Amino acid sequence: MFRSLHMKLMLIMTLLIISLMTVVGAFLVNSVSGFYLNQFYDQMQSVFQNDVEFVQDLQNAAEDEEDGAEQIGQMLRTYTGNLGVDGQTRNYYVLDAATSACLTSSDSAEHSGNLPMTHNLSAALTGTVGDASDASAAYMDVAIPICRGGRDYVVYIKDNKQTVQNLTGQMVTLILEALAFGIAISVLLSFLLSKTLITPIERLTEGAEEVAEGDFSHKIEVDSRDEIGVLTATFNNMAGQLKNTIQEVENERNKLDTLFLCMTDGVLAFTPRGEIIHSNPAAEEMLGRPLPVGEVIDYAAIFGGGAIQEELLADRREGYVSASLELGGRSLELLMALFDKEHREQTGVLVVIHDVTERHKTEEMRKEFVANVSHELRTPLTNIHSYAETLVDNAGALPADTEKNFLSVILSESDRMAHIVQDLLTLSRFDSGRGELNLTSFSFAEAIESMVSANMMEAQRHGHSLTMVLEPGLPQITADRERVTQVMMNVVSNAIKYTPDGGKIEVSAGKLDSGRVWLEVSDNGIGIPKQDRGRIFERFYRVDKARSRESGGTGLGLSIAKEIVDQHQGDIRIVDKPEPGLTIRVELPVRGPKNGKA
């Protein structure tokens, strides 16, 4: 009940009024009692101390006086106004000092009785003026010893405070009525005050609850310019700033989520307990298993080793810990770091997974390529060196025909080295992006016919049958004619070289509905084993290296052909056919590459 701010304010105001009225009432009651007490003793002092003649009259007895107490009583009756004696609440008494008997009084009912003994009365009976005041007593009194005619009397004035009590009762009643009226007013005013104060606070509370629920668009109306109004305006500004901040954080999170989803590298994050808190599709693909958020991972099962976090905690460096993993035929590189290096025991671990399989393959191919280049160049260089050394050592002693034969070998080997270097330069231009195409429009059929005519004599020299079958209506194509002719020449020359003498070679071409033209070169030679077909476009790869070297091949022709076809956004491949021999198919777009250049 009293948790409500309304009730608290009303209770505080009510208690404040009650406390105030209680203090004021007590002060008034005490003030009235003190006023009457002081007034009583002031009256007594003015009569018995200041009025000397009256006191002397009380003490001087007449010669023929028989009853001194009666005379004193008569004189006191003449002074009832000055003494305030009314015969009801305040009375005078004349007592015999020897017997303490009341001889006369303003109240005839007490003539013969003894008065209650009070402190002042006891003092007067011993001859001392009894005028001590006691605010806590239920009466006010004063006792004056009088010696008259050789006999001791006591004049005793007593007030029973009935007037004070009546007035105090009326004041208490008035105070209680005022208190009731004040409480009613305080309740009303406190209600209005609490309503004025609490209504904007309630609005702030509702606004805070809406902000806590994620609604930042609600604005609280500002009705005043006081502190609460300033607080409300500040709260609205805070909600706006918080909304902008959360939107920025949300945008950054969306960017990171998109980045993680599109990353080719795997990203995996987990808590110190091993619970996954983030993973992207690349990580699931590389690790070959689903990684649902919330799952507690098994380090050994996923990474094939011990707990990563313990290794990171043991490593006090500020960087990261790297590891490698072979999984499912992939070579993976793991980079692991803690989220918070200052609190290592409570932080999680972030793992970035790189798939370095292709890099390792490329590295192996590079090493193999360097070895092949070295081998291919070393063989002709060795031959040239050997024959030249023989000519130098036997200058003038060798027959002319022998010298001519040696020089022919040297010339042939140097031409072979030049072809190898030229092919390597061509591949280097392709790799560096400098092998741009010179696109022109030309007849695809005429280019094929020219290529066949150029190879006809070489085919006849080996006793081959070189035929050409072209579909009618072959279109004009947009391509680099010189490069396309080079591709055709490489394919046809390989068919002539690697087909035993007397073989059959057929060149056919046509058009596809997809906007491409195709060329196939088929022979009935030795062919290529299935296990080697996937590597024939690799550099320096040859199935029969000895025979290739004898025929003058460098092992780079088909590699160059594939680079040229790829630059034209075409396709070159081996056609799987049941008959003996080999069929290579080349497809090129009629309109050329889409970007217009390699």
Side-chain angles (χ1 to χ4, degrees), residues 489-516:
M489 292 291 290
N490 283 340
V491 175
V492 174
S493 63
N494 281 343
I496 294 173
K497 291 176 184 177
Y498 299 113
T499 300
D501 292 347
K504 293 182 179 180
I505 301 172
E506 181 181 289
V507 178
S508 57
K511 179 183 178 183
L512 300 174
D513 295 335
S514 59
R516 286 191 170 199

Side-chain angles (χ1 to χ4, degrees), residues 3 16 26 41 101 103 137 144 161 206 248 271 290 292 323 331 344 350 434 539 553 573:
R3 292 182 180 179
L16 178 63
Y41 286 103
L103 302 178
I144 309 298
K161 287 187 177 180
E206 293 175 359
E248 292 177 0
T271 64
S331 297
R344 291 175 175 264
L350 180 68
R434 293 182 288 108
R539 300 174 185 183
R573 65 182 185 275

Side-chain angles (χ1 to χ4, degrees), residues 437 439 478-479 566-569 589 591-598:
L437 301 178
L439 300 179
T478 300
D566 288 343
Q567 283 193 329
H568 282 83
Q569 298 176 1
R591 295 184 180 180
K594 292 181 180 180
N595 56 5
K597 62 180 181 178

Side-chain angles (χ1 to χ4, degrees), residues 369-385 413-425 540 542 549 553-554 556:
F369 177 75
V370 172
N372 288 333
V373 170
S374 302
H375 180 72
E376 293 296 333
L377 291 177
R378 184 178 60 187
T379 301
L381 281 173
T382 301
N383 292 336
I384 292 173
H385 181 270
E413 294 296 331
S414 63
D415 289 340
R416 181 181 170 191
M417 287 179 58
H419 290 157
I420 293 174
V421 173
Q422 183 61 39
D423 290 343
L424 289 174
L425 290 175
F540 290 110
R542 290 171 294 199
R549 194 172 292 112
T554 63
L556 298 174

Side-chain angles (χ1 to χ4, degrees), residues 145-449:
I146 299 294
C147 182
R148 183 182 180 90
R151 190 175 178 181
D152 293 327
Y153 300 94
V154 174
V155 177
Y156 182 58
I157 310 296
K158 182 180 180 181
D159 192 321
N160 61 7
K161 287 187 177 180
Q162 185 63 44
T163 303
V164 177
Q165 293 173 357
N166 293 337
L167 182 59
T168 302
Q170 293 178 0
M171 289 184 62
V172 170
T173 302
L174 180 62
I175 290 172
L176 291 176
E177 293 176 354
L179 178 61
F181 185 70
I183 289 175
I185 294 178
S186 66
V187 169
L188 178 61
L189 292 179
S190 62
F191 178 78
L192 295 177
L193 177 62
S194 63
K195 198 69 176 176
T196 303
L197 294 176
I198 295 173
T199 299
I201 295 177
E202 290 176 344
R203 293 179 183 174
L204 283 172
T205 302
E206 293 175 359
E209 291 175 351
E210 293 180 356
V211 169
E213 293 175 356
D215 181 10
F216 302 99
S217 60
H218 179 71
K219 295 294 182 181
I220 303 175
E221 184 179 355
V222 181
D223 295 331
S224 61
R225 296 184 180 180
D226 55 9
E227 288 80 358
I228 296 181
V230 173
L231 177 61
T232 303
T234 304
F235 181 85
N236 289 334
N237 294 333
M238 181 196 71
Q241 292 292 335
L242 186 60
K243 178 181 179 182
N244 295 334
T245 302
I246 291 179
Q247 286 180 347
E248 292 177 0
V249 173
E250 186 70 21
N251 291 335
E252 292 299 323
R253 190 184 71 177
N254 292 335
K255 291 178 184 177
L256 289 176
D257 289 342
T258 304
L259 177 63
F260 287 148
L261 289 175
C262 299
M263 283 180 64
T264 56
D265 291 336
V267 178
L268 177 64
F270 49 88
T271 64
R273 298 185 295 106
E275 183 179 348
I276 297 176
I277 58 178
H278 183 82
S279 65
N280 64 347
E284 295 182 348
E285 179 185 358
M286 292 179 186
L287 297 177
R289 55 161 292 174
L291 299 170
V293 175
E295 177 186 354
V296 178
I297 66 173
D298 183 358
Y299 300 103
I302 293 183
F303 301 108
I308 297 176
Q309 190 180 20
E310 283 72 8
E311 298 179 9
L312 289 171
L313 292 175
D315 190 342
R316 296 295 176 178
R317 295 174 298 174
E318 294 297 325
Y320 54 85
V321 174
S322 61
S324 9
L325 177 65
E326 297 293 332
L327 183 64
R330 293 174 180 262
S331 297
L332 304 179
E333 184 180 68
L334 309 178
L335 302 178
M336 297 160 285
L338 298 175
F339 289 162
D340 188 356
K341 298 181 178 62
E342 295 181 359
H343 306 87
R344 291 175 175 264
E345 287 73 13
Q346 291 81 29
T347 186
V349 178
L350 180 68
V351 182
V352 180
I353 308 173
H354 298 292
D355 189 348
V356 294
T357 306
E358 292 299 325
R359 188 174 72 185
H360 287 179
K361 289 182 179 179
T362 303
E363 185 68 19
E364 292 297 325
M365 291 176 62
R366 183 188 66 81
K367 294 178 181 178
E368 185 178 353
F369 177 75
V370 172
N372 288 333
V373 170
S374 302
H375 180 72
E376 293 296 333
L377 291 177
R378 184 178 60 187
T379 301
L381 281 173
T382 301
N383 292 336
I384 292 173
H385 181 270
S386 299
Y387 283 97
E389 186 178 22
T390 303
L391 290 174
V392 170
D393 294 339
N394 300 281
L398 294 175
D401 292 341
T402 303
E403 289 184 354
K404 185 177 181 180
N405 185 34
F406 282 8
L407 292 173
S408 297
V409 171
I410 292 174
L411 182 60
S412 175
E413 294 296 331
S414 63
D415 289 340
R416 181 181 170 191
M417 287 179 58
H419 290 157
I420 293 174
V421 173
Q422 183 61 39
D423 290 343
L424 289 174
L425 290 175
T426 301
L427 289 173
S428 176
R429 283 195 296 269
F430 288 145
D431 292 340
S432 62
R434 293 182 288 108
E436 296 185 358
L437 301 178
N438 182 19
L439 300 179
T440 59
S441 179
F442 60 92
S443 171
F444 188 54
E446 289 182 1
I448 295 174
E449 292 171 355

